[in-house]
Amino acid sequence: MKMIMKATLAAGTLMSATMLANADFDAETEKKFDAVLAGKHRSEGNVARDKYRHPKETLEFFGVKPDMTVVEIWPGSYYTEILAPFLREEGKYVAAVSSAVNGSARARRGMAGYLNTLVEKDDVLGATHVSEFTYPDSLTTVPAGTADMVLTFRNVHNWMGAKAEYGILSAAFKALKPGGILGVVEHRLDGGEGVEEGQNARRGYVREGYVIEVARSLGFEVVDASDANANPKDNKNHPRGVWTLPPRFALGDQDREKYAAIGESDRFTLKFKKPEQTR
């Protein structure tokens, strides 16, 4: 298993790291999770990405349990294929999708593709609860204070482009129960204070400290950080930003072997908590 780190977080910066204890699934949960990962319902493309996305290490770190209500904001098929069957018997998986009713053609195609995946794999993914995300600050079918966990993977840069990161993470805060967990994975931008956020977000990369700053301002407590999705080969200096790398390969065949050797992006993994008692 990849090393999971517990970080001391101060002033929005990772200051030091030690081993995180008690992060692993118990034996029964691990057996169930491994069966889901090995399931024939998972697409070949998603399985091929496991070496970059580290789903077991990531979800262990967040503390996902089979009896939880877990909301994924702006889901793709990757984690839906894992979380929906993992939670279907004892818990609940909510896919908080972006409304495409009056959106662009691209948004509608994306929504159609996602819903088709649910239909085609109904026997495994059919229990998914689809919640229309009324952009940017309402989870329309997720009552306040009912979610054990809210997760989002590589979406913050998109929200920043629309200046919606505060609204969306505020919606996550409202959806969570007291003590509930927010888990965030995002492409990591190196650098400290003074980095121009929007310009770099348009290249897909986000400063770890900025996400911490936003979450804290909304009332979240910082719990831990993990290196599960780190990739030191990614120097963040690519012609078309993060999309230069796999799986997008935005340059096509140009330098494809070079970018394939780098692999998917360097990502930070942050765990936040809604306080047990809120003001």
Side-chain angles (χ1 to χ4, degrees):
M1 176 176 170
K2 191 177 180 76
M3 182 179 290
I4 303 293
M5 309 298 284
K6 179 177 181 180
T8 301
L9 303 170
T13 304
L14 303 184
M15 302 299 291
S16 63
T18 56
M19 282 295 296
L20 174 62
N22 303 318
D24 294 351
F25 293 141
D26 61 37
E28 183 176 349
T29 301
E30 183 171 26
K31 182 178 179 180
K32 180 174 184 177
F33 191 87
D34 288 346
V36 169
L37 282 188
K40 294 182 180 179
H41 69 284
R42 297 188 66 211
S43 72
E44 291 183 6
N46 285 339
V47 171
R49 299 186 70 190
D50 286 352
K51 63 182 179 180
Y52 300 119
R53 301 197 65 174
H54 311 104
K56 186 173 182 179
E57 294 90 338
T58 300
L59 294 178
E60 280 183 320
F61 172 72
F62 289 144
V64 173
K65 297 293 186 290
D67 61 352
M68 286 183 167
T69 293
V70 178
V71 178
E72 184 182 357
I73 300 179
W74 285 20
S77 66
Y78 184 86
Y79 270 106
T80 294
E81 287 185 352
I82 295 170
L83 288 166
F86 183 68
L87 298 167
R88 66 179 297 160
E89 294 177 1
E90 303 172 63
K92 181 178 181 180
Y93 171 65
V94 181
V97 299
S98 179
S99 175
V101 175
N102 295 309
S104 65
R106 180 181 177 184
R108 291 176 179 175
R109 284 194 298 270
M111 174 62 67
Y114 182 77
L115 294 178
N116 281 338
T117 296
L118 298 186
V119 171
E120 291 168 1
K121 302 179 180 182
D122 181 71
D123 57 330
V124 180
L125 308 183
T128 299
H129 297 258
V130 178
S131 168
E132 185 179 40
F133 191 93
T134 305
Y135 187 81
D137 60 0
S138 174
L139 298 176
T140 57
T141 61
V142 182
T146 61
D148 296 290
M149 184 172 289
V150 174
L151 302 175
T152 192
F153 302 92
R154 300 163 21 260
N155 286 314
V156 177
H157 63 280
N158 293 309
W159 303 342
M160 290 171 67
K163 301 186 184 302
E165 64 269 35
Y166 283 89
I168 292 175
L169 291 180
S170 177
F173 189 91
K174 293 174 186 175
L176 285 166
K177 299 175 181 178
I181 296 298
L182 168 67
V184 178
V185 177
E186 181 56 283
H187 310 292
R188 187 196 334 259
L189 172 67
D190 298 323
E193 301 298 330
V195 176
E196 202 284 304
E197 306 297 348
Q199 178 180 353
N200 288 292
R202 286 191 291 272
R203 296 176 60 80
Y205 290 100
V206 177
R207 200 164 46 84
E208 194 168 11
Y210 179 70
V211 175
I212 293 170
E213 174 187 316
V214 173
R216 279 179 165 159
S217 75
L218 297 172
F220 283 105
E221 298 174 352
V222 186
V223 179
D224 285 306
S226 166
D227 71 343
N229 295 296
N231 179 6
K233 294 180 181 179
D234 179 13
N235 67 8
K236 328 307 170 57
N237 184 24
H238 313 300
R240 296 193 183 177
V242 70
W243 301 282
T244 311
L245 300 174
R248 182 73 66 85
F249 288 112
L251 297 179
D253 290 334
Q254 181 182 337
D255 294 325
R256 191 179 184 92
E257 290 186 5
K258 168 186 172 181
Y259 295 117
I262 293 172
E264 295 194 18
S265 67
D266 178 37
R267 297 161 187 165
F268 60 78
T269 304
L270 295 173
K271 182 177 180 179
F272 300 93
K273 177 181 177 181
K274 181 175 180 176
E276 297 286 351
Q277 294 183 340
T278 57
R279 298 175 183 175

